[in-house]
Amino acid sequence: MVGSSIFLTLILYLVLLFGIAYRIDLSKKWRKRIAGNPTVYALTLAVYCSAWTFFGSVGAASTYSIEFLTIYIGPLIVAPLMWIIYRKFIRISKAQGITSMSDFISSRYNKSIALNRLVTVLLGVGIIPYIALQITGIERGLETVISWGDKSQANFSFFGFIDMAFVVTVGLGLFLIAFTTRKLQDKSQNHGMMGAIAFESIVKLVVFIVFGIYVCYYIFDDQSQVYALIPDGELKLNTSNNFSQWFGMIILSGLAFLFLPRQFEVGVFAASNETQLKKAIWMFPIYLILINLFVVPIAVAGNHFFSETDVDKDTYMLALPLLNGHKWMAIFVLLGGFSAASGMIIVATHAISKMVANSILLPSFIDRPFFINRFKGKDHKIPVLFRRISILIVLLLAYFYYKLVAVEYSLISIGLVSFIAVSQFAPAILGGIFWKHGNVKGAFAGIVSGFVIWFLFLVIPTLFGGTVNKNYIMLVTESIENNHGAIITTVFFWSMFVNASLYVFVSLISKQSNLERNQAELFVNIYNYSESVESSVVWKGKAFFPDVQSLLSRFLGEQRANYELRTFTEKNNIQLDEKEELDSRVVRHVEKLLSNMIGSSSARILVASVTKEDQISMEDVVDILEESQKLMVLNKELNQTSQELKRLSDALKLTNQKLKKNDLLKDEFLYTVTHELRTPLTSIKALSELLTDDERMPEEIRKEFLQTILKETNRMTRLISQVLDLENFESGKHQLRISHADINELIVYCTNTMDETFKKKNISLHIALDDTLPVMELDYDRITQVVINLLTNASNHCNTTKGEIWVGTRKSNNTVIVEITDNGEGVERGMEQVIFEKFFQADNKGTKKSKGSGLGLAISKKIIQLHEGKIWVEKDETFGAKFIFTLPFEQNKFIVA
Amino acid sequence: MSEKKILIVDDEPSIVLSLDYLMRKNGFQPFIARNGEEALEIAKNEIPALVILDIMMPGMDGYEVCEKLKSNPLTNSIKIIFLSAKSGKEAIEKGMSVGADKYLTKPFNTKQIMQEVMNLLQ
Amino acid sequence: MNKRKLQSFYIFIGFLTLVLVNYPIVYHILDMKTGQIPAILVYLLIVGMVVSIIGFILEKKNR
């Protein structure tokens, strides 16, 4: 195998990563896509699966123990809890401008710069070997592929001393410098880098699954064939089937998943919003399942081929295809391993280097005159410079650790040692966000004690082999060799026990400072304050606007600084006056903005340098917290009140509109009625005048006049009684008098009443009644009124030469349907609704006069509605108008008399 | 002597009845139209001296009838009296604007209406 | 679902899973087989899927 072709592949892959990150950073559209995307978020969380997953899992599984699964079961259990824990982390970090794990811890505990540094150093000590482990993973993979069948090429290098691992390290360092230190102002969100990490997560998953399928179905015929190779009863939880060890490892992995700096980085600081969490909670477990699906079969297959050879168990993934002569597959796997390792290296280095720069380097140098003079006017370059320096420091340390120490150990043990290191921060962090009384002294005590135990029992043996104190080292190293898992869980248990106990104990016996009390409240009850952190933080002192402004401009640039200050003051209604003392909220906000960029320690130092801070008293803390609580309650109440007011005014508006409409209707009605009355009145008046004036009028004309007068008087009477009727129905004065009645009998009665009219108009009547109708509940007189009205209308509108009217009843569910049809012209299209309205006859602007039905239909509609029935008209194709009304058999609202 | 022709346009039979009698008694020859179309037809054929015109009628309304009469050279010299239940200022103004000679409201006084007819026909 | 209820749900799933993947349940499954495949692997797969599915449902229900 030619090393240079592999080298080229890896370089191309790195170039691809650069390309992706560059593409995303360059385009606003892509940045936006990455920023809020929950899938990308879930994929970046998978940075948890490093080279250790890729090669180490198989190595561990080849002992027929499934202990390696604990590394994934832990996160599986913790995933739902992310909603409780990570959501709080995200909220706090956003509210306080926190961008690193050490800032997070120190912000909670008295903003202690010493604690900040301690956390940074310990995390470095814990994580740098882990980064080295990834380099080891890459290097071992390369070595396996290159030296397969030709041992002489084992140490592939350039010019005899630059090995591949170094090239890779430098490449990744450049990647970090390019994509994480360019734009420090942008609230620490490195979308390009995150996009590349998500991409790497896809690559490693795809490679693993493809390789699994390759082993199970290409090298072997079937998956079950592979499983059949497991010796009977040999699949164990761990080497000694120890359930407490299994449990301990699960808890350890769960804590590590939450508190590894790289997880913090992708899960908390890179999160754009909290809803991303919900999706990640179910997507991430699926990822874990998929990437572990083929681990056991691959390990079993590896054992099948290599158990008697000297092939390293961690390299089974590469040895399998090489043995079968599939070099392309080996390179493919190598690429997957590389993506897993590089992803971890990038994020972990980013996280650690940010802490090193912001917590150790910057605070030490930022207010030195040398730097201030050297970078005059270009202050924003200071953090960039330090960030770059720290990236190099971290990577070089990792590289040397790899060179000097790491080669000796299996991939999984260094990883677990790191896990225990980071879990030492769990008590302080979890206590910090859930327990108000935890304080800085307790945090110190817990963290230091935990790390001491970790260092004594896990680090010294790996560092010095057997040269320092023979007996002690022998004791520890031998127990690690013989009972690897047991020693891990034992150290984990004891370190955590001592750590947590001391944290609680020391916190209880020592007092919190006032500042700390303030921060504790803000951390624990963050959901109450997240909107108003600036006003909930106590800051007392003298500060003047120009000083603060120029400080912020140093790092953000004048334009951006002014913009930030303006938006903040406008949002909070703060008046800026150059001569007056500055509102403390502005000072807090400036500190937050700076903290976002250069870390909380440096931000604090800088803010203190331009202001004159006073000691804050307990009363201040209590006051301000109470006040901001009160403010919140008040706000809430105000909100409620204003909402209620809005609802009320809406209701009022509605009522007003209704009233207006009613008024209009009333006017129209009045107009119609007076107009209707005027016509008969006119003729009555005219005819009476003529009768009075002309005494010699012929008898038959006199008679005709008198008859007409009578007719018109009747017309008026009818109209008036109808108006009264309708008015009474509408105002509720008319109640139905419900009794039991036979609707068919009622209809027959009505037609009999109308018989004379029909005969006079030569109308033939057809009746078709449904005999099966039950006795119904209805108001007999009112329904009679309706039917008579409809029959009268029909007789007025049916064909004048040969009038025909059909009346019918039928049953439908629990209602009766009554139909009255004539053979006239039918109701004009579009008027079907209007004819039932009381003001139909004459609209007051129009001059068209339709042959109206007066108020009869309006009254009929009212009556039917009171019976909870419906009335409408249809146009019959062959006949004229078809009036239909329905009535329920029973009445619910009325008592049957 | 030829009796002067008067056209009565209204859709209410009872009103027509009184006007018809009134005109006859005062020596005119009344013609009756129940709607606008009928009125135009009769006006063209008979060229009456005067038209008593209702406004609210089914189909064509009184304004339209008036406009048509006034725009036709054959009939534009016919005097027109609106007799309507619409008593609003707007309605009266509109009536006069379409070319009517007089606007009277219902209910009317028989003597007054006769007086107006006589005045217009002098 | 309100915030408090949702939180309790998530905590409940977390702890339920912790119980499901530990002694004594795991102990009883360890020696079983489903066909050729060791039952413990299938069991853990199912537990993982269940966690994921519940998470999925909770997400959809709380949009």
Side-chain angles (χ1 to χ4, degrees):
Chain A
M1 191 96 223
V2 190
S4 53
S5 69
I6 298 172
F7 174 71
L8 202 69
T9 312
L10 293 193
I11 293 295
L12 279 178
Y13 179 78
L14 260 180
V15 168
L16 181 63
L17 274 192
F18 269 79
I20 290 171
Y22 188 66
R23 180 84 194 79
I24 294 169
D25 266 356
L26 210 63
S27 127
K28 201 172 173 184
K29 196 176 88 191
W30 275 95
R31 279 206 304 277
K32 261 196 175 154
R33 267 190 209 170
I34 296 293
N37 191 318
T39 311
V40 170
Y41 179 76
L43 281 172
T44 55
L45 282 180
V47 75
Y48 180 73
C49 301
S50 61
W52 170 9
T53 304
F54 216 82
F55 298 121
S57 286
V58 173
S62 63
T63 58
Y64 300 118
S65 119
I66 55 168
E67 191 178 73
F68 77 94
L69 277 179
T70 55
I71 308 298
Y72 309 99
I73 293 174
L76 180 77
I77 290 167
V78 169
L81 301 180
M82 280 167 68
W83 182 249
I84 288 87
I85 299 171
Y86 264 34
R87 194 162 74 99
K88 213 162 183 180
F89 288 167
I90 293 170
R91 190 70 73 92
I92 292 169
S93 303
K94 290 248 186 300
Q96 301 237 358
I98 293 169
T99 58
S100 76
M101 216 170 137
S102 59
D103 273 6
F104 190 91
I105 298 174
S106 70
S107 294
R108 163 66 177 80
Y109 296 108
N110 208 23
K111 301 197 172 179
S112 160
I113 291 173
L115 184 64
N116 200 334
R117 287 184 174 159
L118 177 79
V119 172
T120 303
V121 169
L122 293 181
L123 273 175
V125 171
I127 296 301
I128 286 172
Y130 198 5
I131 298 173
L133 167 83
Q134 306 301 313
I135 302 176
T136 314
I138 296 172
E139 200 274 340
R140 261 191 223 173
L142 279 171
E143 197 184 291
T144 310
V145 179
I146 293 168
S147 69
W148 191 261
D150 182 6
K151 298 284 175 203
S152 65
Q153 286 207 17
N155 293 310
F156 181 81
S157 61
F158 302 93
F159 314 116
F161 63 93
I162 305 176
D163 55 9
M164 274 299 290
F166 187 76
V167 174
V168 167
T169 313
V170 171
L172 294 176
L174 287 177
F175 180 88
L176 278 162
I177 288 171
F179 296 109
T180 66
T181 65
R182 262 191 324 153
K183 289 189 278 176
L184 288 187
Q185 296 103 311
D186 268 345
K187 309 212 164 152
S188 84
Q189 299 219 343
N190 307 291
H191 300 305
M193 182 180 83
M194 288 307 156
I197 296 300
F199 170 74
E200 293 211 284
S201 291
I202 296 172
V203 170
K204 64 194 178 200
L205 182 64
V206 168
V207 170
F208 215 116
I209 289 175
V210 168
F211 184 71
I213 294 169
Y214 160 81
V215 169
C216 290
Y217 299 98
Y218 193 76
I219 294 185
F220 289 87
D221 289 334
D222 191 8
Q223 202 175 354
S224 57
Q225 210 180 352
V226 189
Y227 283 112
L229 293 172
I230 303 172
D232 254 352
E234 277 295 296
L235 198 68
K236 297 169 290 189
L237 285 189
N238 45 53
T239 41
S240 58
N241 250 3
N242 189 330
F243 286 98
S244 60
Q245 189 179 320
W246 171 261
F247 176 80
M249 290 290 285
I250 287 174
I251 300 295
L252 172 61
S253 320
L255 286 182
F257 172 71
L258 287 178
F259 299 111
L260 276 169
R262 66 174 190 275
Q263 297 306 124
F264 233 77
E265 193 61 42
V266 294
V268 180
F269 304 129
S272 304
N273 54 62
E274 293 167 12
T275 47
Q276 285 177 318
L277 274 174
K278 280 190 198 157
K279 199 162 225 146
I281 283 171
W282 63 267
M283 275 188 163
F284 184 62
I286 290 181
Y287 190 96
L288 291 180
I289 291 170
L290 288 178
I291 207 161
N292 280 296
L293 217 50
F294 292 106
V295 172
V296 173
I298 293 170
V300 172
N303 273 351
H304 176 70
F305 289 110
F306 306 113
S307 59
E308 304 299 322
T309 67
D310 63 344
V311 171
D312 188 349
K313 288 174 171 177
D314 288 347
T315 61
Y316 277 177
M317 294 263 294
L318 294 163
L320 274 169
L322 287 172
L323 183 74
N324 288 283
H326 302 132
K327 284 179 184 165
W328 51 271
M329 183 50 92
I331 295 181
F332 187 56
V333 171
L334 198 64
L335 206 63
F338 182 70
S339 70
S342 58
M344 184 280 177
I345 295 174
I346 288 170
V347 183
T349 308
H350 172 56
I352 300 290
S353 66
K354 195 157 64 177
M355 284 183 245
V356 171
N358 288 353
S359 308
I360 298 180
L361 299 179
L362 266 173
S364 319
F365 295 106
I366 195 115
D367 55 346
R368 294 288 165 88
F370 169 75
F371 269 92
I372 295 172
N373 293 332
R374 180 81 179 70
F375 285 90
K376 202 149 198 93
K378 289 179 285 184
D379 296 80
H380 60 280
K381 288 200 170 159
I382 301 177
V384 174
L385 173 72
F386 280 115
R387 198 65 91 66
R388 290 179 176 167
I389 292 173
S390 11
I391 288 170
L392 291 181
I393 292 175
V394 172
L395 279 176
L396 284 177
L397 280 175
Y399 179 74
F400 284 117
Y401 187 90
Y402 145 77
K403 266 293 184 205
L404 300 173
V405 191
V407 190
E408 308 289 321
Y409 296 91
S410 76
L411 294 180
I412 215 158
S413 44
I414 297 179
L416 285 174
V417 170
S418 279
F419 270 25
I420 296 183
V422 295
S423 49
Q424 299 311 320
F425 298 106
I429 295 179
L430 288 178
I433 63 167
F434 291 116
W435 187 46
K436 269 188 234 178
H437 297 285
N439 68 20
V440 62
K441 296 189 186 79
F444 260 113
I447 291 170
V448 168
S449 65
F451 265 94
V452 166
I453 295 174
W454 169 80
F455 194 75
L456 284 179
F457 292 94
L458 288 178
V459 179
I460 290 184
T462 64
L463 276 180
F464 302 106
T467 54
V468 184
N469 179 334
K470 203 110 195 160
N471 291 334
Y472 155 72
I473 295 298
M474 286 283 283
L475 182 80
V476 181
T477 46
E478 269 174 21
S479 69
I480 289 179
E481 269 163 25
N482 299 336
N483 204 348
H484 172 259
I487 189 83
I488 291 287
T489 42
T490 311
V491 174
F492 172 57
F493 172 78
W494 285 108
S495 62
M496 286 310 281
F497 176 74
V498 173
N499 179 335
S501 314
L502 278 177
Y503 168 69
V504 173
F505 179 70
V506 175
S507 290
L508 285 177
I509 58 167
S510 58
K511 271 180 78 176
Q512 273 180 332
S513 77
N514 296 331
L515 173 72
E516 196 173 6
R517 162 100 174 66
N518 190 187
Q519 282 297 88
E521 171 71 27
L522 289 184
F523 268 56
V524 174
N525 294 325
I526 181 68
Y527 297 125
N528 297 344
Y529 296 103
S530 51
E531 295 298 316
S532 59
V533 165
E534 273 86 1
S535 51
S536 310
V537 172
V538 187
W539 188 87
K540 262 176 92 182
K542 283 198 184 78
F544 292 93
F545 182 66
D547 302 332
V548 172
Q549 186 194 30
S550 74
L551 170 65
L552 197 60
S553 312
R554 270 172 64 190
F555 291 92
L556 292 183
E558 203 159 321
Q559 240 182 342
R560 176 87 192 272
N562 286 336
Y563 170 77
E564 293 280 356
L565 285 170
R566 205 175 49 243
T567 45
F568 180 76
T569 47
E570 273 170 14
K571 201 177 130 203
N572 292 284
N573 288 324
I574 298 168
Q575 293 296 321
L576 285 180
D577 189 330
E578 301 214 346
K579 285 171 195 113
E580 296 275 315
E581 278 183 30
L582 198 54
D583 191 296
S584 71
R585 283 175 291 175
V586 179
V587 179
R588 267 296 306 160
H589 188 65
V590 167
E591 193 179 327
K592 176 178 151 183
L593 285 174
L594 285 175
S595 170
N596 241 326
M597 233 180 106
I598 56 173
S600 59
S601 301
S602 315
R604 218 172 132 60
I605 292 171
L606 285 177
V607 168
S609 73
V610 297
T611 58
K612 193 172 168 303
E613 290 187 24
D614 291 341
Q615 281 291 320
I616 48 173
S617 70
M618 195 64 217
E619 285 78 46
D620 294 329
V621 176
V622 174
D623 281 356
I624 198 142
L625 289 181
E626 265 179 8
E627 204 167 294
S628 94
Q629 287 274 16
K630 254 190 232 155
L631 216 77
M632 260 168 324
V633 173
L634 221 73
N635 241 329
K636 221 174 171 179
E637 276 172 11
L638 217 82
N639 231 336
Q640 268 174 2
T641 322
S642 80
Q643 267 177 4
E644 220 152 90
L645 265 169
K646 196 179 171 323
R647 229 183 10 249
L648 271 174
S649 86
D650 281 352
L652 216 75
K653 236 185 242 163
L654 210 76
T655 323
N656 197 19
Q657 271 174 3
K658 243 191 208 159
L659 277 174
K660 261 189 193 159
K661 204 181 159 198
N662 276 350
D663 237 32
L664 215 73
L665 290 185
K666 205 120 200 160
D667 280 355
E668 239 161 304
F669 180 60
L670 221 70
Y671 184 88
T672 313
V673 169
T674 50
H675 187 85
E676 282 297 299
L677 287 174
R678 200 170 275 190
T679 306
L681 203 66
T682 306
S683 26
I684 291 170
K685 183 173 189 258
L687 291 171
S688 325
E689 273 176 16
L690 290 174
L691 281 169
T692 323
D693 292 350
D694 193 350
E695 277 158 20
R696 285 169 299 152
M697 192 182 276
E699 193 53 31
E700 74 267 21
I701 291 181
R702 185 183 294 272
K703 206 170 183 185
E704 194 189 354
F705 276 23
L706 285 172
Q707 267 170 2
T708 308
I709 290 175
L710 211 61
K711 212 170 79 190
E712 293 298 306
T713 320
N714 284 340
R715 184 172 161 188
M716 280 179 82
T717 316
R718 203 167 57 239
L719 197 69
I720 288 169
S721 72
Q722 275 181 340
V723 169
L724 284 176
D725 248 16
L726 199 63
E727 205 49 39
N728 284 338
F729 275 125
E730 278 182 350
S731 63
K733 266 181 212 150
H734 269 5
Q735 292 283 336
L736 295 184
R737 259 175 291 166
I738 301 289
S739 60
H740 291 283
D742 179 350
I743 182 97
N744 287 339
E745 184 258 306
L746 184 148
I747 285 171
V748 171
Y749 167 77
C750 293
T751 50
N752 286 343
T753 321
M754 296 286 293
D755 208 31
E756 210 169 314
T757 321
F758 291 154
K759 268 185 192 146
K760 208 188 274 169
K761 294 194 178 181
N762 195 20
I763 294 168
S764 49
L765 183 72
H766 312 272
I767 303 181
L769 300 174
D770 184 346
D771 296 332
T772 61
L773 287 172
V775 171
M776 296 177 45
E777 292 173 2
L778 46 78
D779 184 328
Y780 194 91
D781 293 344
R782 293 300 173 193
I783 297 297
T784 304
Q785 191 181 345
V786 172
V787 174
I788 297 251
N789 180 257
L790 291 178
L791 285 173
T792 312
N793 276 350
S795 70
N796 284 339
H797 292 89
C798 70
N799 194 309
T800 39
T801 48
K802 197 184 178 311
E804 279 185 283
I805 294 176
W806 292 264
V807 181
T809 56
R810 60 195 164 88
K811 194 160 62 171
S812 165
N813 290 330
N814 285 324
T815 54
V816 60
I817 300 176
V818 180
E819 294 172 347
I820 295 172
T821 315
D822 62 56
N823 66 343
E825 283 177 10
V827 176
E828 206 177 312
R829 206 163 279 280
M831 302 296 276
E832 291 92 343
Q833 305 279 325
V834 193
I835 53 168
F836 290 102
E837 282 170 29
K838 59 187 178 187
F839 52 88
F840 157 64
Q841 256 205 334
D843 60 282
N844 64 7
K845 286 187 190 70
T847 47
K848 293 259 188 324
K849 189 165 175 183
S850 323
K851 241 183 181 176
S853 50
L855 292 164
L857 280 177
I859 293 172
S860 299
K861 188 182 177 189
K862 204 82 215 171
I863 292 170
I864 297 296
Q865 276 177 343
L866 282 174
H867 280 86
E868 292 178 332
K870 277 184 198 150
I871 184 165
W872 70 96
V873 66
E874 285 173 9
K875 181 157 180 118
D876 201 297
E877 281 302 317
T878 46
F879 313 113
K882 182 190 239 179
F883 282 86
I884 304 166
F885 69 86
T886 64
L887 287 176
F889 291 158
E890 286 170 8
Q891 293 297 322
N892 300 321
K893 277 196 218 151
F894 300 97
I895 301 160
V896 180
Chain B
M1 105 171 226
S2 66
E3 291 172 327
K4 280 193 174 160
K5 294 175 182 170
I6 289 188
L7 174 57
I8 301 164
V9 190
D10 205 308
D11 63 319
E12 287 287 341
S14 55
I15 291 176
V16 173
L17 182 69
S18 58
L19 287 174
D20 180 60
Y21 180 82
L22 184 69
M23 293 309 143
R24 244 181 246 286
K25 203 183 85 179
N26 287 283
F28 295 103
Q29 185 189 355
F31 290 85
I32 312 291
R34 301 282 176 155
N35 55 49
E37 286 81 1
E38 241 182 273
L40 289 178
E41 190 67 30
I42 295 171
K44 251 179 253 166
N45 293 338
E46 303 292 338
I47 319 287
L50 186 140
V51 179
I52 298 176
L53 190 53
D54 186 19
I55 291 176
M56 304 223 296
M57 289 180 297
M60 198 187 289
D61 67 43
Y63 298 134
E64 219 179 322
V65 175
C66 180
E67 262 172 349
K68 288 217 162 115
L69 287 175
K70 287 290 171 190
S71 64
N72 190 339
L74 215 64
T75 54
N76 69 353
S77 59
I78 300 173
K79 307 278 184 203
I80 290 172
I81 298 179
F82 272 127
L83 182 61
S84 168
K86 284 166 88 80
S87 53
K89 201 178 154 203
E90 265 174 62
I92 296 171
E93 268 169 14
K94 183 161 184 207
M96 300 314 283
S97 77
V98 293
D101 298 282
K102 196 76 203 169
Y103 193 110
L104 299 173
T105 57
K106 292 174 184 172
F108 55 87
N109 183 307
T110 46
K111 282 179 190 130
Q112 189 198 352
I113 211 160
M114 236 23 255
Q115 189 66 46
E116 296 292 349
V117 169
M118 294 299 194
N119 283 347
L120 281 175
L121 289 183
Q122 256 171 26
Chain C
M1 210 180 284
N2 63 27
K3 284 238 157 86
R4 192 171 289 270
K5 210 164 154 191
L6 182 67
Q7 274 200 7
S8 321
F9 250 104
Y10 278 129
I11 294 176
F12 174 73
I13 311 168
F15 281 87
L16 179 73
T17 319
L18 184 66
V19 172
L20 287 180
V21 298
N22 272 296
Y23 186 84
I25 298 172
V26 172
Y27 172 79
H28 287 289
I29 296 170
L30 201 53
D31 292 330
M32 291 188 219
K33 275 202 167 183
T34 48
Q36 288 289 336
I37 301 168
I40 182 77
L41 295 180
V42 178
Y43 172 73
L44 291 176
L45 175 75
I46 291 169
V47 171
M49 290 307 292
V50 167
V51 172
S52 181
I53 289 166
I54 296 177
F56 178 76
I57 294 169
L58 284 181
E59 193 221 349
K60 295 293 160 208
K61 277 202 154 186
N62 292 281
R63 279 210 167 270

